[in-house]
Amino acid sequence: MVGQSKSEGAPFSYELRVRYGECDAQGIVFNANFLAYVDVVLTEIWRESMGSYEALLATGVDTVVGEANLRFRAPGRFDDILTIEAGFDGLGTTSTTLRLWFRRGDELLCDADIRYVFVDTETWEKAQIPAEVREKLAPFLL
């Protein structure tokens, strides 16, 4: 799936409008803002799957980014409405990869693979994904 340009069957979708301050001097979405958009989408996935981000923390785990790969294909611009589709590419023992596709209409602007590592909320050591979290993320698997 790496480099996949289609999100056929992506289980989650979120729309946002590009704000003026998210654009650079060239008038396009500044590249780092795509990672900020990823955080928005992940927060919304926690809200939909667990009820809230705090509910995830109540299981004793949190996530940290272990790796981020973004492929920029076309520029986004001020006032564009982006549809961001996402889903998890399986659940490992202690990590998962969230795959995302950023579109303006039918045009793919960016796709990303973000690997999240689950960590214990007290020690910040790698932790196994709790059964409750696995169950609630199952509908968001690709």
Side-chain angles (χ1 to χ4, degrees), residues 53-118:
Y53 172 68
E54 289 76 21
L56 169 70
L57 298 179
T59 69
V61 297
D62 198 352
T63 58
V64 296
V65 173
E67 182 178 0
N69 293 292
L70 291 86
R71 289 160 297 280
F72 299 98
R73 301 179 184 278
R77 300 193 181 279
F78 167 64
D79 218 28
D80 282 350
I81 295 176
L82 303 183
T83 300
I84 306 164
E85 297 173 301
F88 293 101
D89 188 15
L91 296 172
T93 303
T94 61
S95 68
T96 186
T97 298
L98 181 63
R99 298 192 183 271
L100 304 102
W101 297 268
F102 300 80
R103 286 190 167 70
R104 176 184 48 229
D106 291 334
E107 183 180 16
L108 181 64
L109 304 182
C110 178
D111 59 296
D113 303 321
I114 312 296
R115 184 172 54 84
Y116 290 96
V117 178
F118 285 76

Side-chain angles (χ1 to χ4, degrees), residues 111-128:
D111 59 296
D113 303 321
I114 312 296
R115 184 172 54 84
Y116 290 96
V117 178
F118 285 76
V119 294
D120 182 280
T121 55
E122 292 185 21
T123 66
W124 292 97
E125 296 291 323
K126 227 177 355 177
Q128 289 191 3

Side-chain angles (χ1 to χ4, degrees), residues 3 33 35 38 48 95 127:
N33 283 323
L35 286 171
V38 169
E48 191 166 316
S95 68

